[in-house]
Amino acid sequence: MLQNLETLSREARSWPFEQARNLLAHVLKKRLSDAERDAAKLLIDAGKTDEALATFEALNRPVILETGYGPSGLPHMGTFGEVARTTMVRNAFRALTGDHWATRLIAFSDDMDGLRKVPEGVPNPDMLREDLHLPLTKVRDPFGTHDSFGAHNNARLRAFLDSFGFDYEFVSSTETYRSGRFDATLLTLLERFDKVMGIMLPTLGEERRATYSPFLPISPITGHVLQVPTLERNVERGTIVFDDPAGGRTEAPVTGGHVKLQWKPDWAMRWTALDVDYEMSGKDLIESVRESGKICRALGGTPPEGFNYELFLDIEGKKISKSKGNGLTMDEWLRYGTPESLSWYMFQSPKSAKSLHFNVIPRATDDYLSFIEQYKTQEPAKQIDNAVWHIHSGQPPMSASPVSFALLLNLVGVANASSKDQLWAYFAKYLPDATPENEPVLDRLMGYALNYYEDFVKPSKTYRLPDDKEKAALLDLAERLKALPTDTTDGEIIQGEVYAVGKAHEFEPLRAWFQALYEVLLGASQGPRFGSFAAIYGLPQTIALIEAGANGELA
């Protein structure tokens, strides 16, 4: 699937391949000496990654990509975007290296973090309020389905990622701290405590500096994650001393899950302990990436390669905020559009701010479909830069939908359809061999179109009366279509008559004629290719619609 693409991958211009080449350079620099790196790169550039791996033992470790998740809430659009985009980079790296080099994608859950506030919209908030400051894996599950709130949200995360077919390894912060996997790096941080403090303190306000410690001890009495100063460090014993509000002066080991780290040191510690090679993050975390990178170096690690993507904006161009609720949720997108359309939206220009609201879904859906069509006729060098190559991990489908989502939306409205069966009835003549079984994408799109039309298009439809010129043109079009066989299903023939009427009645520019059709007949300022719409809707029904619009019966 991703083999024998090395040459094309080196020249590919899409951003996942740019990131993959950066990742390759990063890993070679991180693991090899200058001379070894040059030799390895020559082999890899010659399509001999397998030989490079056999020659240099340091390259035999898998390349590790990571995404992070805070399980105090449910998976959201940002979670999907980060995993989807990281997967695209991973697949590009696999293609670049002939799929010889093992890769791992870690989905890391920071579930040992303390619950700082009660999330909105969660049942049993009083119970959660009683459990504030406990690690999320100790907070009782308000849904009553799992051992803890953290376990509940982790299960939701995994089900969420599994539903999209992502290939990943789930890693729990709680389990990793307790297992001892982080112990060596935690002891290094204890030893280099002053260096870490020297990096962090200049970034904090005066009040926070007075009490800050990278270590957050877990109270042996209350189980709370404590934000308290470190009073003493005992490097030889591997312990810290702190003042526990519930039990006074306390000494505890920094290993074995007795402490966790503040999030920037935690990020750096994770990069070091897990040997992470790549992690992307939002533009709002640029400073955090910088500080965590410094700490990672102080711990003897190498910060991962990565890039900062832009954040989404709402319909008014304002930053999306979970607390404001001005964004678009995963469930909302998937009610009106396909998962593939969402992946397409995530692929496009990740370093440019984009609006994320309901209005973008129809366009994203049709753009995805058009990229599928383009892919079928492109040469290989263009195919691997096509968004659908990345969306489908190098194996995009060779067919999509025979009609656009925009056309379906208009068909739903004009036909006053409320079910897929009604829509399929219109396709009986236009696509006589099509069924839900052999056109599954079309069948899915019908469901999305019915939902989207009912919730967004129908309430905003506004029909207008035609002016005298438009009325004459509409009646002319009706007469021309009456001259065609009533069973005409060739959209190009119908479209030809539409064009001919627009020119005969001297619409300038010609698009003004099409805009008139949409506004008078469909109640919208834009619409699908009219010939295709008429072919599916049926010629007699289309003629009746045109005459009704011309006579002012629709407005």
Side-chain angles (χ1 to χ4, degrees), residues 227-249:
Q227 297 213 32
V228 293
T230 295
L231 304 178
E232 293 180 20
R233 289 183 295 127
N234 298 300
V235 175
E236 291 183 0
R237 293 204 300 269
T239 63
I240 59 172
V241 175
F242 58 94
D243 186 14
D244 186 339
R249 195 175 182 87

Side-chain angles (χ1 to χ4, degrees), residues 360-539:
V360 307
I361 297 176
R363 176 65 181 272
T365 301
D366 279 339
D367 282 345
Y368 164 76
L369 296 175
S370 70
F371 274 64
I372 290 286
E373 291 302 313
Q374 292 173 29
Y375 184 88
K376 293 189 290 188
T377 59
Q378 287 175 325
E379 58 187 44
K382 295 289 187 182
Q383 285 182 328
I384 66 169
D385 275 335
N386 188 317
V388 300
W389 188 93
H390 297 279
I391 291 168
H392 294 281
S393 302
Q395 289 188 311
M398 294 309 291
S399 63
S401 169
V403 299
S404 69
F405 189 64
L407 189 151
L408 284 174
L409 283 176
N410 282 282
L411 182 61
V412 170
V414 174
N416 197 27
S418 58
S419 71
K420 288 184 181 181
D421 289 343
Q422 289 173 288
L423 294 177
W424 274 111
Y426 282 100
F427 282 88
K429 290 184 178 180
Y430 181 69
L431 296 172
D433 297 327
T435 65
E437 289 72 31
N438 62 29
E439 289 290 354
V441 177
L442 174 57
D443 187 65
R444 286 167 61 205
L445 289 179
M446 287 179 179
Y448 296 127
L450 288 164
N451 291 340
Y452 194 91
Y453 178 83
E454 186 65 28
D455 292 351
F456 297 108
V457 179
K458 186 176 180 179
S460 63
K461 269 198 174 288
T462 304
Y463 295 86
R464 69 169 176 84
L465 295 170
D467 60 27
D468 291 342
K469 179 179 179 179
E470 292 164 348
K471 179 176 181 178
L474 286 166
L475 293 174
D476 184 9
L477 176 59
E479 292 304 314
R480 292 181 187 230
L481 296 184
K482 287 177 182 177
L484 298 176
T486 57
D487 59 353
T488 297
T489 57
D490 190 330
E492 292 304 315
I493 292 176
I494 300 172
Q495 188 76 4
E497 296 295 343
V498 178
Y499 270 108
V501 169
K503 291 177 180 178
H505 289 261
E506 299 181 347
F507 281 89
E508 188 62 39
L510 191 59
R511 66 173 177 270
W513 163 231
F514 288 96
Q515 185 172 343
L517 286 173
Y518 300 140
E519 292 176 350
V520 174
L521 304 182
L522 303 179
S525 58
Q526 55 186 357
R529 187 173 175 82
F530 195 81
S532 299
F533 165 78
I536 297 171
Y537 187 48
L539 207 57

Side-chain angles (χ1 to χ4, degrees), residues 174-392:
T174 301
E175 293 175 4
T176 312
Y177 268 99
R178 290 177 179 171
S179 71
R181 190 174 180 184
F182 287 158
D183 282 359
T185 311
L186 289 166
L187 289 171
T188 300
L189 195 152
L190 179 65
E191 177 189 345
R192 303 176 187 180
F193 182 91
D194 291 336
K195 287 185 178 181
V196 174
M197 292 290 279
I199 294 167
M200 287 302 304
L201 291 182
T203 70
L204 305 173
E206 183 177 352
E207 184 177 343
R208 185 90 191 281
R209 283 201 301 269
T211 61
Y212 181 83
S213 170
F215 292 110
L216 300 173
I218 311 298
S219 170
I221 299 173
T222 63
H224 288 177
V225 180
L226 304 177
Q227 297 213 32
V228 293
T230 295
L231 304 178
E232 293 180 20
R233 289 183 295 127
N234 298 300
V235 175
E236 291 183 0
R237 293 204 300 269
T239 63
I240 59 172
V241 175
F242 58 94
D243 186 14
D244 186 339
R249 195 175 182 87
T250 304
E251 183 174 7
V254 299
T255 53
H258 292 90
V259 307
K260 81 174 298 288
L261 296 181
Q262 300 271 10
W263 86 271
K264 291 178 187 177
D266 186 272
W267 209 6
M269 181 274 296
R270 191 192 315 161
W271 289 343
T272 306
L274 301 181
D275 195 23
V276 176
D277 296 301
Y278 187 90
E279 182 160 3
M280 62 176 64
S281 56
K283 185 180 178 181
D284 57 333
L285 296 181
I286 288 177
E287 187 63 30
S288 299
V289 170
R290 185 178 299 118
E291 302 307 325
S292 294
K294 293 177 183 177
I295 297 171
C296 180
R297 293 186 187 93
L299 297 176
T302 302
E305 182 64 27
F307 82 117
N308 297 102
Y309 50 83
E310 263 287 1
L311 305 178
F312 291 115
L313 305 175
D314 67 10
I315 195 168
E316 297 178 353
K318 297 177 181 177
K319 179 182 172 181
I320 285 178
S321 166
K322 284 191 288 184
S323 61
K324 293 180 182 177
N326 61 337
L328 187 64
T329 69
M330 286 295 307
D331 288 344
E332 287 169 336
W333 185 293
L334 297 178
R335 172 171 166 78
Y336 307 112
T338 64
E340 294 84 3
S341 67
L342 179 56
S343 293
W344 181 92
Y345 198 71
M346 293 295 176
F347 175 86
Q348 299 301 317
S349 306
K351 287 198 171 184
S352 299
K354 296 196 293 289
S355 297
L356 184 63
H357 49 82
F358 296 106
N359 294 358
V360 307
I361 297 176
R363 176 65 181 272
T365 301
D366 279 339
D367 282 345
Y368 164 76
L369 296 175
S370 70
F371 274 64
I372 290 286
E373 291 302 313
Q374 292 173 29
Y375 184 88
K376 293 189 290 188
T377 59
Q378 287 175 325
E379 58 187 44
K382 295 289 187 182
Q383 285 182 328
I384 66 169
D385 275 335
N386 188 317
V388 300
W389 188 93
H390 297 279
I391 291 168
H392 294 281

